[in-house]
Amino acid sequence: MKTAPRIAVIDYGMGNLRSVTKAVEAAGGDVIVVTQPAELTGVSGVVLPGVGALADCVTALRATGMDEAVRTWIAADRPFLGVCLGLQALFDYSEEAQTAGLGIFPGKVVRFKLPAGLKVPHMGWNTVRFTQPDSPLVAGLMPEGEAFYFVHSYYCVSADPDLVLAECDYGLKFTAAIARGRCFATQFHPEKSQTKGIQIYRNFVSVAISA
């Protein structure tokens, strides 16, 4: 039997830590909640969750040095999973409060400008189509469409189309997930998406085991 990999969930003072932690544990990970870069020693995978304002997220990460720790971790192609704000923070810039992101991937985060009748935030279940069906993060899921739970007013526009792992429609087509090597991030909340969401976390834990 393989030993459960130690998965760090970053606590920067905001986010849905409890639900993410429980989901990673249900997926077979041995979770440690971390606040400082030194605590990543001996860890096999890192999860950056988030709800709320991106400016607060990035400011908090910079205050502890976790911003540079995340950059270094991803640059080394070590298993990483960003969730919601944890996706948006990876890009250069966000329209939300004119915020500079971590600049790990080229692109920006923009606010939904939708036709009449569609509300912002985009909230609830929506179908996600996987454009990289061979990605280890989506093993066991249907490439043509699975339902996941969203809560967001902004979405990511990647300067590199090859970065896009999944797409979703809400008045327009937007990026629902990205992947590059062992770095993954989702706009939807797997921890709120029942069995399909747990499958996402289970697949991430598998990547951490094999890394």
Side-chain angles (χ1 to χ4, degrees), residues 103-123:
I104 294 169
F105 298 117
K108 58 186 179 180
V109 181
V110 301
R111 185 174 171 83
F112 277 113
K113 298 177 178 65
L114 299 173
L118 290 177
K119 296 181 179 180
V120 178
H122 171 214
M123 182 180 298

Side-chain angles (χ1 to χ4, degrees), residues 44-70:
S44 299
V46 169
V47 178
L48 178 62
V51 295
L54 182 61
D56 294 339
C57 167
V58 173
T59 297
L61 292 173
R62 288 176 177 151
T64 61
M66 288 301 292
D67 60 332
E68 191 57 37
V70 168

Side-chain angles (χ1 to χ4, degrees), residues 8-152:
V9 177
I10 298 176
D11 177 8
Y12 51 93
M14 56 191 293
N16 46 338
L17 278 179
R18 180 174 173 79
S19 57
V20 169
T21 296
K22 293 298 183 184
V24 176
E25 289 175 343
D30 176 18
V31 175
I32 175 175
V33 176
V34 302
T35 59
Q36 302 291 330
E39 295 174 299
L40 297 179
T41 301
V43 165
S44 299
V46 169
V47 178
L48 178 62
V51 295
L54 182 61
D56 294 339
C57 167
V58 173
T59 297
L61 292 173
R62 288 176 177 151
T64 61
M66 288 301 292
D67 60 332
E68 191 57 37
V70 168
R71 289 191 192 95
T72 301
W73 187 273
I74 293 174
D77 195 28
R78 303 189 69 185
F80 176 90
L81 178 63
V83 177
C84 197
L85 284 186
L87 163 63
Q88 296 180 6
L90 302 182
F91 287 89
D92 293 322
Y93 168 81
S94 175
E95 289 183 351
E96 183 183 6
Q98 311 302 305
T99 301
L102 300 182
I104 294 169
F105 298 117
K108 58 186 179 180
V109 181
V110 301
R111 185 174 171 83
F112 277 113
K113 298 177 178 65
L114 299 173
L118 290 177
K119 296 181 179 180
V120 178
H122 171 214
M123 182 180 298
W125 295 87
N126 206 339
T127 300
V128 169
R129 296 181 305 279
F130 297 106
T131 57
Q132 296 184 37
D134 295 330
S135 170
L137 193 72
V138 302
L141 300 173
M142 299 293 289
E144 63 272 20
E146 296 281 13
F148 291 92
Y149 191 85
F150 290 85
V151 183
H152 63 123

